[in-house]
């Protein structure tokens, strides 16, 4: 179905979410049911040629194919943490209960890896004998290593510094005419010395891309990995919102007819469904297109998860292990979540620098006409700071961490609502005018090509950050016993699980939009076709960004 060619070029792209342990046992069943419902719905919009070659059931998730294994990872670094500090790298030995060999893997970020909700790394792996006790970096292909990595690491001793021990239940899934990805449910522990933290999370890793689909859409709907990543994250968010019980309007799919498989549901479903609103009602009735038909449709529904299902957990397992080690060294014998007398340090990395972020927002506000680069830098700074603040609050859960999240949210709202015209050259304004007047690009949102892109930032912040900020502020001011469990529940339960999912999606999209804006407005093009190719792709994904926004009423 998908080519074996490595279209991702050793790039690991995954999305990670924390999962309420109360619902971990039923998550896979819930996800598979909603995934199959969404696939059945999408299948009807595919070409007749494709449907004649591929039966719908080829793409259904099958619970019997779930693979469960125990994974024990040993992370190695030098005594002075050279790998993590200098290369942002993780070097591990992975032992699986299903294999007699051991995987030796190196993951690292490059300078051009986009900051966002996805955990994107370069990854290279070799199989080694089960008897090994430490990694051998000489086994890696030298062409895949960061500059200077081999010489610096081989000159020092590697020691095991962190451990992860968890059970993974995984399933490979296929989206027709798009991508193959792995769903993994992980439960266990991250351990560093005498301190540990539980793992209960779900990961979605992009495994492969349909080469035929990519070839047909290259330069039109897809331009680079960020485009694919954006489309992949949109699909994952859509399924997660359905699993969580949130209502979702499929904006551009009104009128599509589809039939559900009778062997999966107790009853078949057919008719036109402009709105699959299944927020917690069994056999919820959805009216068909009332302009043409009186047919109604029954949508089998999963109950809304009281207390929340999913929350943002933006830090990787390695990052959490490193932070635990630092925290443990600063607070020997301290039990996480037991109080607020812990030593938490910006310099040591266990606390976000909310004051520096506030200062940056104030300084940006004082610029009368910022450049596009200054605006882009502020958005990147905002998204990184927000992700880190939430991750630290989820991990350590002190009152200061919660207040840092509140401060970052407040400053983000201030930044997003302070509209300014960018300082653009006359040449760039000509580019604006040319794109806006091109009939082929009549749908290209002005968000991507004019000063109005700041409206995109404000819209997302006001819709997802501000309500979360208000609820968090009320909780912190009224509840002296507010703790990490209540913080996670707030992340998960607010507005039917939408806050954390949509905030993570927002982080991915604003970085994408600004990258596009910079490319369109500041790049030199060798010919008109190259320029329009980039513009067409931007037009497509800008529309996708808007059309996937959940506009359903809150229940």
């Amino acid at each position: 179905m998908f080519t074996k060619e490595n279209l991702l070029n050793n790039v690991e792209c995954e999305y990670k979410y924390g999962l309420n342990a109360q619902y971990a046992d039923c998550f896979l069943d819930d996800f598979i049911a909603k995934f199959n419902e969404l696939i059945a719905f999408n299948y009807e919009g595919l070409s007749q040629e494709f449907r004649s070659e591929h039966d719908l059931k080829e793409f259904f998730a099958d619970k019997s194919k779930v693979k469960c294994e125990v994974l024990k990872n040993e992370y190695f670094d030098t005594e002075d943490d050279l790998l993590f500090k200098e290369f942002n790298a993780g070097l591990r030995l992975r032992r699986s209960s299903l294999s007699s060999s051991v995987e030796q893997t190196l993951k690292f970020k490059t300078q051009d890896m986009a900051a966002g909700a996805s955990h994107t790394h370069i990854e290279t792996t070799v199989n080694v004998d089960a008897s090994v006790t430490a990694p051998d970096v000489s086994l890696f292909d030298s062409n895949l290593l960061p500059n200077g990595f081999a010489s610096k690491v081989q000159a020092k001793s590697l020691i095991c510094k962190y451990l992860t021990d968890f059970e993974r239940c995984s399933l490979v899934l296929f989206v027709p005419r798009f991508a193959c990805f792995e769903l993994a449910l992980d439960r266990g522990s991250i351990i560093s010395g005498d301190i540990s933290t539980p793992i209960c999370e779900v990961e979605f890793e992009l495994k492969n891309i349909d080469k035929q689909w990519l070839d047909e859409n290259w330069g039109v709907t897809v331009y680079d990995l960020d485009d694919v990543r954006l489309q992949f994250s949109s699909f994952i968010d859509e399924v997660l919102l359905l699993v969580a019980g949130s209502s979702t309007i499929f904006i551009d799919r009104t009128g599509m007819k589809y039939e559900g498989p009778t062997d999966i549901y107790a009853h078949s479903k057919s008719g036109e469904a402009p709105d699959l609103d299944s927020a917690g009602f069994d056999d919820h009735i959805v009216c068909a297109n009332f302009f043409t038909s009186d047919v109604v449709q029954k949508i089998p529904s999963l109950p809304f998860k009281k207390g929340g299902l999913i929350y943002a957990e933006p830090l990787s397992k390695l990052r959490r292990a490193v932070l635990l080690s630092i925290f443990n060294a600063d607070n020997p014998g301290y039990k996480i979540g037991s109080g607020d007398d812990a030593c938490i340090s910006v310099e040591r990395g266990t606390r976000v620098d909310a004051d520096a972020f506030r200062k940056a927002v104030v300084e940006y506000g004082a610029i009368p006409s910022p450049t596009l680069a200054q605006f882009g830098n502020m958005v990147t700074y905002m998204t990184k700071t927000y992700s880190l603040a939430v991750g630290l609050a989820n991990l350590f859960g002190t009152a200061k961490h919660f207040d840092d999240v509140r401060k970052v949210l407040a400053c983000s709202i201030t930044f997003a609502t302070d509209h300014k015209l960018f300082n653009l050259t006359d040449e760039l304004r000509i580019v604006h005018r040319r794109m806006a007047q091109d009939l082929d690009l009549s749908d290209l949102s002005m968000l991507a090509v004019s000063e109005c892109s700041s409206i995109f930032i404000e819209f997302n912040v006001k819709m997802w950050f501000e309500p979360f900020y208000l609820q968090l502020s009320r909780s912190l001011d009224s509840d002296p016993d507010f703790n990490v469990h209540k913080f996670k529940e707030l992340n998960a339960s607010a507005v039917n699980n939408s806050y954390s999912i949509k905030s993570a999606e927002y982080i991915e999209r604003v970085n994408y939009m600004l990258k596009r804006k910079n490319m369109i407005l500041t790049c030199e093009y060798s010919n008109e076709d190259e320029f329009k190719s980039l513009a067409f792709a931007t037009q497509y994904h800008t529309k996708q960004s808007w059309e996937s926004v959940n506009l359903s009423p809150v229940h």
Side-chain angles (χ1 to χ4, degrees):
M1 190 180 303
F2 289 87
T3 65
K4 297 298 183 182
E5 183 180 350
N6 183 7
L7 299 174
L8 297 176
N9 296 318
N10 295 102
V11 175
E12 179 193 56
C13 176
E14 65 184 15
Y15 291 80
K16 187 191 305 290
Y17 296 91
L19 186 62
N20 187 334
Q22 180 181 355
Y23 302 113
D25 288 337
C26 67
F27 177 79
L28 286 176
D29 288 330
D30 287 5
F31 186 90
I32 288 172
K34 287 302 181 185
F35 175 84
N36 289 340
E37 181 177 320
L38 200 57
I39 289 296
F41 187 61
N42 279 276
Y43 180 81
E44 294 303 317
L46 300 173
S47 68
Q48 181 61 45
E49 179 184 4
F50 181 86
R51 285 183 289 160
S52 65
E53 295 176 357
H54 299 279
D55 185 78
L56 171 61
K57 292 185 179 180
E58 290 182 33
F59 303 101
F60 283 150
D62 184 349
K63 177 70 179 295
S64 68
K65 295 183 179 179
V66 171
K67 179 178 73 172
C68 293
E69 58 186 325
V70 175
L71 297 175
K72 296 180 182 293
N73 296 332
E74 304 161 28
Y75 286 92
F76 289 79
D77 208 329
T78 62
E79 183 65 36
D80 56 354
D81 295 317
L82 174 69
L83 274 70
F84 188 80
K85 289 180 180 178
E86 185 165 340
F87 299 101
N88 200 4
L91 178 61
R92 76 175 184 217
L93 293 178
R94 166 169 284 181
R95 306 175 192 275
S96 168
S97 59
L98 300 181
S99 175
S100 59
S101 63
V102 172
E103 287 183 350
Q104 176 182 300
T105 299
L106 176 69
K107 296 184 182 183
F108 62 93
K109 280 186 178 289
T110 61
Q111 290 297 320
D112 60 349
M113 288 289 186
S118 67
H119 294 259
T120 306
H121 305 81
I122 302 295
E123 178 181 300
T124 179
T125 298
V126 294
N127 287 322
V128 296
D129 188 81
S131 62
V132 300
T133 56
D136 180 358
V137 296
S138 68
L139 298 177
F140 292 123
D141 182 344
S142 59
N143 295 320
L144 299 177
L145 300 179
N147 292 333
F149 181 89
S151 59
K152 290 185 178 181
V153 173
Q154 288 176 342
K156 297 193 173 187
S157 299
L158 293 170
I159 57 176
C160 181
K161 307 196 76 170
Y162 327 108
L163 302 171
T164 60
D165 186 351
F166 58 94
E167 180 188 45
R168 165 166 291 178
C169 293
S170 60
L171 180 63
V172 176
L173 301 165
F174 297 91
V175 182
R177 295 306 320 275
F178 179 41
C180 161
F181 69 94
E182 181 183 65
L183 160 67
L185 172 61
D186 295 341
R187 286 182 281 184
S189 299
I190 300 171
I191 305 161
S192 180
D194 297 328
I195 197 168
S196 67
T197 189
I199 298 171
C200 187
E201 61 194 31
V202 58
E203 294 182 0
F204 303 92
E205 181 179 351
L206 186 61
K207 288 294 189 181
N208 211 335
I209 304 163
D210 188 318
K211 188 175 186 303
Q212 182 182 354
W213 173 83
L214 194 63
D215 290 342
E216 292 173 358
N217 291 281
W218 187 262
V220 180
T221 59
V222 172
Y223 201 81
D224 57 20
L225 178 60
D226 279 350
D227 291 345
V228 176
R229 194 163 56 182
L230 183 74
Q231 204 149 314
F232 177 53
S233 68
S234 296
F235 180 82
I236 294 302
D237 288 336
E238 196 165 15
V239 185
L240 281 180
L241 286 168
L242 287 174
V243 172
S246 179
S247 53
T248 303
I249 293 179
F250 298 82
I251 298 173
D252 60 344
R253 301 173 191 170
T254 301
M256 282 187 184
K257 294 184 178 180
Y258 71 102
E259 292 189 3
T262 56
D263 58 333
I264 288 186
Y265 300 116
H267 58 274
S268 63
K269 52 181 187 269
S270 62
E272 295 180 352
D275 181 3
L276 292 184
D277 180 357
S278 55
F281 302 93
D282 291 330
D283 292 331
H284 184 50
I285 295 179
V286 177
C287 291
N289 188 333
F290 56 86
F291 292 107
T292 59
S293 172
D294 294 329
V295 177
V296 296
Q297 173 185 358
K298 287 188 175 182
I299 304 294
S301 170
L302 297 168
F304 175 67
K305 305 298 185 185
K306 294 182 179 179
L309 174 69
I310 294 168
Y311 53 86
E313 186 73 79
L315 304 182
S316 68
K317 294 183 179 72
L318 173 63
R319 182 72 177 272
R320 279 178 276 170
V322 172
L323 291 171
L324 284 174
S325 177
I326 296 171
F327 190 88
N328 190 38
D330 291 339
N331 303 277
Y334 182 90
K335 184 178 179 182
I336 290 178
S338 62
D340 191 33
D341 55 350
C343 176
I344 51 179
S345 163
V346 170
E347 292 75 18
R348 296 276 284 161
T350 54
R351 189 178 184 190
V352 71
D353 197 341
D355 292 335
F357 178 60
R358 182 192 296 108
K359 180 181 178 182
V361 171
V362 171
E363 290 176 350
Y364 179 84
I367 303 173
S369 184
T371 64
L372 182 60
Q374 288 173 318
F375 179 69
N377 289 338
M378 270 305 304
V379 171
T380 300
Y381 188 18
M382 179 184 71
T383 56
K384 285 184 174 181
T385 305
Y386 171 75
S387 292
L388 181 59
V390 172
L392 292 172
N394 274 320
L395 183 60
F396 297 122
T398 72
K400 290 180 180 178
H401 284 114
F402 301 139
D403 196 52
D404 284 344
V405 174
R406 173 161 57 176
K407 290 177 181 177
V408 171
L409 286 168
C411 289
S412 298
I413 294 168
T414 299
F415 164 68
T417 53
D418 185 16
H419 290 285
K420 295 177 182 296
L421 293 179
F422 297 133
N423 181 17
L424 301 178
T425 65
D426 290 339
E427 289 79 9
L428 293 183
R429 294 188 187 281
I430 292 174
V431 175
H432 277 204
R433 194 172 301 114
R434 180 170 57 173
M435 294 187 72
Q437 294 175 351
D438 191 320
L439 293 179
D440 291 334
L441 299 173
S442 59
D443 291 331
L444 180 58
S445 171
M446 293 304 288
L447 295 172
V449 297
S450 75
E451 292 87 347
C452 294
S453 64
S454 55
I455 297 175
F456 180 80
I457 309 295
E458 180 182 7
F459 176 85
N460 282 276
V461 166
K462 295 285 282 185
M463 177 167 273
W464 307 114
F465 280 24
E466 188 174 58
F468 181 50
Y469 165 72
L470 293 174
Q471 287 210 16
L472 177 62
S473 291
R474 284 194 292 268
S475 298
L476 292 178
D477 293 340
S478 63
D479 185 358
D481 298 321
F482 190 81
N483 56 32
V484 67
H485 302 293
K486 293 179 180 179
F487 179 74
K488 291 185 175 183
E489 183 175 312
L490 178 61
N491 269 273
S493 60
V495 191
N496 291 2
N497 288 246
S498 295
Y499 284 161
S500 60
I501 298 173
K502 283 298 180 180
S503 295
E505 181 182 14
Y506 156 71
I507 287 171
E508 194 72 13
R509 287 168 188 271
V510 290
N511 280 281
Y512 170 84
M513 292 292 292
L514 282 171
K515 173 191 170 183
R516 284 297 192 181
K517 187 176 178 69
N518 275 289
M519 291 174 69
I520 291 175
L521 296 181
T522 62
C523 290
E524 295 182 0
Y525 304 97
S526 58
N527 56 64
E528 188 73 13
D529 289 339
E530 182 182 354
F531 175 84
K532 290 193 73 169
S533 179
L534 176 62
F536 276 129
T538 302
Q539 175 173 269
Y540 174 82
H541 285 289
T542 302
K543 290 175 67 177
Q544 290 291 103
S545 294
W546 278 104
E547 291 177 349
S548 64
V549 172
N550 182 356
L551 299 177
S552 300
V554 175
H555 293 280

